[in-house]
Amino acid sequence: MAGAATAGELSPILLTIDSVTRVTDVARYRLGQHLAEQGCQANIRFDSKVPLVALMFRLSAQGSQETMALSAKNRDGEWPRPAWITRRTAGVRSVSELEARDLATVAGGDPLASALPLAALAAAGIHPEPERIYESGDFSSALGLLLHNNTHAAVSEAGFAGEFLERQDLVLTWLGAPVKTVGWYRGVGWSEQALACEEALGHLIRTDDKQAFAVFPEWVHGFAKTDDQ
């Protein structure tokens, strides 16, 4: 027993997170506590350039050679899908009818927040002028701009917006393909010790502690092992 390393003697696993919000000490602490309670001692950083990282939460990993350990899932337990939302009373049948309209997007690096929805507009030949774009801080705020008649359409994530559609008389005007690149990737510092952290991350659910999830995009409800797909 004297030569056996205990969990407390192991160095914390280094995790990095591409966050779309201003990270607070409270959110970092609460996330760390949830992981520690499940046997994952983690050093959580918000700098993608940190060396020897074991696990990395990335919003996009196009061209990456790293292995995805856990994919981010929406409220429906599915891969996220970008969407344009409009009011039912507007009678918008497709994104091609959003020409010269005020639109609400979400600031930050999340591809669902503006990049993919704006690309859908571009594919329809629509390129909004900068003054037509209202950048909000999160998906709730983008939908709020739509509900208060400030904009004609708002970006969202299909699972996140789902519970608001019927209640607020909203409709999905455009639904993009599932995005499978958002999630946790294994970095060069990965070892079998990180398996405990992968297991712990797989048990996290936003509804258990919304403050701990403040470091992730608002649509992220939890994470699932990729080999379960």
Side-chain angles (χ1 to χ4, degrees), residues 134-153:
Y134 289 71
E135 275 196 342
S136 59
D138 52 37
F139 288 94
S140 292
S141 299
L143 289 175
L145 286 170
L146 172 62
L147 289 169
H148 290 91
N149 296 313
N150 297 87
T151 61
H152 200 79

Side-chain angles (χ1 to χ4, degrees), residues 33-115:
Q33 284 294 101
H34 278 287
L35 295 177
E37 288 168 3
Q38 298 183 60
C40 167
Q41 298 298 324
N43 178 4
I44 303 171
R45 305 281 291 276
F46 298 93
D47 182 354
S48 60
K49 295 181 178 149
V50 175
L52 300 178
V53 178
L55 291 169
M56 308 168 285
F57 177 78
R58 289 184 170 178
L59 296 168
S60 178
Q62 300 293 341
S64 173
Q65 298 303 309
E66 283 99 359
T67 300
M68 177 183 270
L70 298 157
S71 60
K73 293 303 176 82
N74 66 13
R75 190 172 281 149
D76 298 328
E78 301 172 346
W79 282 304
R81 300 183 71 176
W84 276 112
I85 312 293
T86 57
R87 292 183 294 276
R88 187 181 303 277
T89 53
V92 178
R93 292 162 297 186
S94 71
V95 292
S96 62
E97 297 180 29
L98 296 178
E99 180 71 60
R101 302 287 190 175
D102 290 339
L103 309 170
T105 61
V106 180
D110 184 350
L112 284 77
S114 61

Side-chain angles (χ1 to χ4, degrees), residues 6-49:
T6 66
E9 293 171 339
L10 295 173
S11 298
I13 291 295
L14 183 56
L15 309 184
T16 61
I17 298 173
D18 288 345
S19 183
V20 297
T21 61
R22 188 177 68 84
V23 177
T24 67
D25 290 337
V26 171
R28 184 203 304 262
Y29 172 78
R30 291 179 75 94
L31 177 59
Q33 284 294 101
H34 278 287
L35 295 177
E37 288 168 3
Q38 298 183 60
C40 167
Q41 298 298 324
N43 178 4
I44 303 171
R45 305 281 291 276
F46 298 93
D47 182 354
S48 60
K49 295 181 178 149

